[in-house]
Amino acid sequence: MNKKFLSLVLALVMVLGTFGNVFAAAATDKKDVKDVPKLTSTDAKVQWLIDNKIVIGNADADGKADGNMALTDPIRRDHVAKMLVFALGEQDFAAKLQGVYRPFPDVELTSIVNGFISVAASKTSVNGVPIIAGYKDGT
């Protein structure tokens, strides 16, 4: 069941990722628009994402950003949760839940991914299945 669910979630991330322009809202003010330079190298693109805090890397054991981008490591549940939250346009909801709600005992309130995991755990798909769910022991 877990492999099927993970496959479904990853497929959903890929499908929703292709519709990024459909869900994009027009900026209301020029100050809201980031100036995106024309970058050609992969390293320059990654550095721009880091500099603009679009990606912040993994968290350490205390839930604080450690700066490790881990670009060659396997994707983790917190990565999937963040991508799904952005695909659903629920970033503001994640910011509100950050440090307030703890859906799983192994996700600390102070963790940088707490809000994203909280939103993904509280939202359901079209057929009523939670976007992410824990194990039977609650983790």
Side-chain angles (χ1 to χ4, degrees):
M1 171 76 181
N2 287 336
K3 287 184 180 180
K4 287 182 182 179
F5 182 71
L6 182 58
S7 297
L8 175 66
V9 168
L10 291 175
L12 180 64
V13 168
M14 290 189 305
V15 169
L16 290 176
T18 62
F19 295 107
N21 291 337
V22 175
F23 297 116
T28 56
D29 193 358
K30 287 278 189 192
K31 68 178 181 170
D32 294 338
V33 179
K34 289 192 185 295
D35 184 26
V36 181
K38 179 74 172 158
L39 302 170
T40 55
S41 75
T42 301
D43 290 339
K45 292 174 185 178
V46 170
Q47 192 58 50
W48 184 88
L49 292 170
I50 294 167
D51 293 344
N52 287 281
K53 301 203 181 330
I54 295 170
V55 293
I56 57 174
N58 290 330
D60 61 16
D62 296 325
K64 305 294 182 220
D66 65 6
N68 178 10
M69 293 298 132
L71 298 175
T72 58
D73 292 352
I75 192 165
R76 301 181 340 204
R77 69 173 177 176
D78 52 335
H79 302 154
V80 172
K82 185 173 182 179
M83 287 187 286
L84 288 171
V85 167
F86 271 83
L88 294 170
E90 296 287 350
Q91 306 90 295
D92 293 337
F93 187 37
K96 290 177 184 174
L97 288 181
Q98 177 65 34
V100 175
Y101 174 60
R102 186 176 181 189
F104 306 111
D106 58 331
V107 178
E108 296 297 327
L109 282 173
T110 57
S111 174
I112 60 173
V113 295
N114 171 269
F116 299 111
I117 292 175
S118 297
V119 169
S122 66
K123 295 283 184 178
T124 59
S125 65
V126 183
N127 60 358
V129 176
I131 293 174
I132 62 169
Y135 294 108
K136 290 180 182 178
D137 67 355
T139 60

